Amino acid sequence: MASNPRAFPTATAVGAPAAAPASTSAALDELLAGNRRYATGRARRGRVPAQRPFAVVLDCVDSRVLPELLFDQDLGALLCIRTAGQVLDEAVLASIQYGVTELRVPLVVVLGHEGCGAVAATLGRLRTGAPVPGHLELLVEEIAPAARRTGALPGDWAAHTVRAHAVWVRDAIRADSAFAGAAVVAARLDPDSGLVTLLP
């Protein structure tokens, strides 16, 4: 069988897996340090024998948004939950709670990104009033409030919506007593630079 020049290199684990960060602030520092390694082309990743996540990352289904790569973390270090536009539903909330309660994960990161297709589709429906087909209605219903809140702001409506929606999702998770044991932050990814920045 001919070799595939586009195949990903296989990472091998060397020694014991890195210890999980000891605090929420250390976990966030490790994610941001890993993102800087990724954005500057110095990423390192390997396999781990067991799942020991130190952060839950709720991110988009966009194929450019892969948290293990973006934060340069070994497999098993992050519990990733992906929905278009970081839209919440009961399955997503239960999955986050599983991480926080059962796996004792201290940090939840809501990661929005520039150029989000779910946001673009929502803005398109709001502009035209066209009906939303099938299950996509849930995405539009969940993202539309952020779009309406930011519609009058100067500048890029889509970028404003991405930020406002990520912050709303963060605040909704923070307000839920099921997640009282975890710190919850919102962030945005610029896919062009690869950099992740925290949102206030």
Side-chain angles (χ1 to χ4, degrees):
M1 180 173 167
S3 63
N4 180 357
R6 296 187 64 198
F8 291 106
T10 302
T12 53
V14 178
S23 68
T24 299
S25 61
L28 189 54
D29 289 345
E30 171 56 27
L31 286 182
L32 296 177
N35 178 245
R36 288 190 295 273
R37 290 192 302 271
Y38 167 79
T40 57
R42 295 193 303 269
R44 53 101 189 122
R45 288 195 315 126
R47 293 181 298 190
V48 293
Q51 175 177 233
R52 293 188 183 93
F54 67 85
V56 172
V57 181
L58 172 59
D59 70 314
C60 189
V61 295
D62 189 296
S63 59
R64 300 167 296 171
V65 185
L66 299 173
E68 291 90 352
L69 293 178
L70 296 174
F71 294 115
D72 189 29
Q73 296 300 313
D74 291 335
L75 301 179
L78 303 178
L79 183 65
C80 301
I81 301 162
R82 305 182 72 192
T83 66
Q86 306 84 50
V87 166
L88 295 176
D89 64 16
E90 283 301 311
V92 172
L93 291 168
S95 297
I96 298 170
Q97 185 174 3
Y98 172 75
V100 171
T101 304
E102 301 299 321
L103 300 179
R104 307 271 190 255
V105 178
L107 175 66
V108 177
V109 179
V110 178
L111 181 62
H113 69 96
E114 301 303 321
C116 179
V119 167
T122 298
L123 299 185
R125 301 298 179 185
L126 292 178
R127 285 185 183 107
T128 65
V132 183
H135 301 290
L136 295 178
E137 185 175 1
L138 174 64
L139 301 183
V140 173
E141 286 178 354
E142 292 296 311
I143 297 170
R148 291 189 182 101
R149 286 195 304 275
T150 59
L153 295 176
D156 187 332
W157 189 19
H160 293 316
T161 301
V162 165
R163 291 173 179 86
H165 181 64
V167 167
W168 180 87
V169 171
R170 175 202 66 196
D171 293 347
I173 296 170
R174 278 182 180 172
D176 191 323
S177 61
F179 312 108
V184 187
V185 301
R188 62 168 283 277
L189 165 70
D190 177 351
D192 292 333
S193 70
L195 284 173
V196 171
T197 55
L198 295 178
L199 297 172

